[in-house]
Amino acid sequence: MADATVMEDHPPSEQENKRDFIRVLVFVVLTIGIGAIINAVFGLKTNYLYKGELHLNTSDVGTLNLILGIPCYVQPFIGAWTDVFAVFGYHRRSYYLAGKLAGAAAMLGLAATERFHNLMTVQQHHYAIVVCLMLFIAAGGILRTVIFNAIVVALGNRTGRFGQLQALMSLIPI
């Protein structure tokens, strides 16, 4: 069954709301915990990549971050797209998984370029490849963020616990 909103004859029971709230709470906590670990390692590696391998100065890193912010600018359109078009019968699950896979594939691509760089003793990473891979990572992150926010808002409004979930979401670094 698709996770689109379905009109039911009866509203969800208090027990169903509590179960769904706990599921989303676990999802939020796991997202925060795993995301913190990944971002810590990824942040250190990207700083090394920018400064040590690509030899970017501060203004170059700023320019790169502006380019990598492009997926943020199209975030409302991504949200509308995911609400209108279902993939494999789902509006949220398949897009969340696609965002995870896009980010993971791009991170593996960055790791492969690093490995290739070390094996071939190339003088410098190819800037365009790094930018494209980083854009895929950012796009996957924005797709996951859109779906994550949609899940929290839908459940928070239905259960009346949006404030609690919003307070918990404030722990997630953007």
Side-chain angles (χ1 to χ4, degrees):
M1 176 180 188
D3 56 4
T5 305
V6 177
M7 297 303 290
E8 297 177 357
D9 293 334
H10 59 72
S13 69
E14 184 64 32
Q15 186 173 0
E16 289 172 333
N17 282 342
K18 185 181 260 188
R19 182 196 54 172
D20 290 344
F21 179 76
I22 290 171
R23 284 179 44 205
V24 170
L25 186 66
V26 168
F27 177 64
V28 170
V29 169
L30 286 174
T31 300
I32 292 169
I34 293 169
I37 294 167
I38 290 172
N39 288 335
V41 173
F42 187 70
L44 290 173
K45 294 303 273 180
T46 54
N47 282 337
Y48 173 74
L49 176 67
Y50 294 164
K51 305 231 185 231
E53 298 295 326
L54 294 175
H55 307 292
L56 300 178
N57 60 30
T58 306
S59 65
D60 293 337
V61 171
T63 302
L64 178 61
N65 285 333
L66 283 174
I67 294 168
L68 296 179
I70 291 172
C72 292
Y73 307 137
V74 297
Q75 185 173 358
F77 304 107
I78 293 171
W81 181 272
T82 61
D83 284 343
V84 173
F85 299 105
V87 175
F88 301 119
Y90 295 100
H91 285 275
R92 295 188 180 143
R93 293 179 186 126
S94 53
Y95 283 109
Y96 190 83
L97 182 61
K100 280 287 192 193
L101 290 175
M107 283 187 187
L108 286 173
L110 275 177
T113 60
E114 177 69 24
R115 184 75 170 160
F116 178 76
H117 171 74
N118 289 338
L119 290 174
M120 303 304 288
T121 62
V122 178
Q123 292 299 318
Q124 191 172 9
H125 282 285
H126 196 266
Y127 189 78
I129 292 172
V130 171
V131 170
C132 288
L133 289 171
M134 294 295 283
L135 275 171
F136 268 103
I137 292 170
I142 289 300
L143 184 56
R144 290 188 319 269
T145 300
V146 165
I147 300 303
F148 185 80
N149 289 336
I151 290 168
V152 169
V153 168
L155 182 70
N157 287 340
R158 192 179 85 208
T159 62
R161 295 183 177 204
F162 180 71
Q164 293 169 333
L165 289 171
Q166 189 177 28
L168 188 59
M169 284 178 53
S170 68
L171 298 173
I172 300 173
I174 294 176

